[in-house]
Amino acid sequence: MEDGPTFRILCVGGSDPRMGAGVEMDAAVCRALGFEPVTVVTVETEQSEHGLESVRARSTSELTRELVRALHQGVDAVKVGALGNAALTETLAEVLLPWLGELPIVVDPVGQASRVAKPGVMLNTPEGLALMQEKLFPLADLVTPNRIEYGTGDAYEFCGAVVRKGGHDEGDIVSDRFWSLLEDPVEFRRPRLPGRTSVHGTGCAFATLAACHLARCRDPRLASKEAGDVLHAWLSGPGLREGRLVPPPTPRRDWPLSMFRFPSPERSANQD
């Protein structure tokens, strides 16, 4: 098999070097699929097995400079994670606005860490989350909240496409619920895996998997299904270490094709 083009994914979010979520997880997912990660850090976090300890936001000027450089060097999709505060959230929205329609964008609406060791420490402020809903959601091809982030659902009413992940729900079946302004709602159901209820980094991984799929095929419904299927396969195997997700470390050149399913050229032509 000949090498195909390398797809580049811009991953914007917090750095979690000790526990391996955030942009570290984004990069690992991209590499496991044979994609090239381009990471831009918004906040430096200190996390441990007990939870989130501290968050230090970068300056808006640093963020703007790195985002503009990455975008103009060329990327095929954007994945957005933790943004820290309102200023950084607004900065990202302003930089991405000119790219609306040109690049698929996936937003993981991260506010709180799954485990918080110190009260008041968060991955985005309430003001930042409000700005995310106002200015980033309209730019997104897909928004990927979990049950807690989704809440009543009011903030997601006018998103282009949403997949509400079911990992935080109860029961033996995990149901990811997808809907968009253009399609009827659909559920993607998978058996709950024993011992896999609190795995660090799965939210980051899901959104990055979806962004990788959208880089190849701009179909949010299919991206949501395939992201869940690949994540479920990883969780079913040996890809865990001390409660953290560990994507396969060695990419195979055919993985972007073999791990994901894409519409046939005939189907894509019929949909245009």
Side-chain angles (χ1 to χ4, degrees), residues 85-271:
N85 58 42
L88 293 175
T89 302
E90 186 158 28
T91 295
L92 177 61
E94 290 173 353
V95 173
L96 289 181
L97 181 59
W99 298 86
L100 176 63
E102 294 190 36
L103 286 175
I105 298 171
V106 176
V107 174
D108 183 11
V110 180
Q112 292 281 4
S114 56
R115 290 176 293 177
V116 180
K118 291 188 177 180
V121 180
M122 57 193 68
L123 295 171
N124 203 346
T125 62
E127 296 80 10
L129 289 172
L131 272 173
M132 176 182 282
Q133 295 163 9
E134 176 188 350
K135 297 192 174 184
L136 276 176
F137 283 8
L139 305 181
D141 289 63
L142 181 65
V143 185
T144 65
N146 60 31
R147 176 180 61 82
I148 298 168
E149 293 158 349
Y150 185 74
T152 63
D154 292 345
Y156 300 86
E157 184 176 359
F158 299 108
C159 292
V162 178
V163 57
R164 189 272 203 191
K165 299 170 295 185
H168 286 76
D169 296 338
E170 302 292 332
D172 295 331
I173 299 295
V174 175
S175 177
D176 296 338
R177 302 170 187 174
F178 171 87
W179 66 95
S180 76
L181 296 178
L182 302 176
E183 299 180 83
D184 292 332
V186 63
E187 291 191 21
F188 306 121
R189 297 164 60 86
R190 303 173 188 89
R192 188 176 298 279
L193 298 170
R196 303 296 198 267
T197 55
S198 299
V199 179
H200 191 65
T202 52
C204 303
F206 182 99
T208 305
L209 284 163
C212 289
H213 195 281
L214 287 170
R216 286 290 308 268
C217 170
R218 205 157 181 174
D219 183 335
R221 180 194 61 79
L222 189 58
S224 299
K225 179 183 183 302
E226 293 298 307
D229 285 349
V230 172
L231 183 58
H232 188 269
W234 284 351
L235 290 170
S236 300
L240 289 183
R241 183 182 302 150
E242 298 177 352
R244 294 174 284 167
L245 176 68
V246 182
T250 305
R252 281 171 28 193
R253 290 182 298 169
D254 62 330
W255 273 16
L257 297 178
S258 67
M259 294 194 70
F260 282 147
R261 289 182 290 275
F262 299 97
S264 67
E266 292 80 9
R267 177 187 169 193
S268 298
N270 292 336
Q271 288 180 332

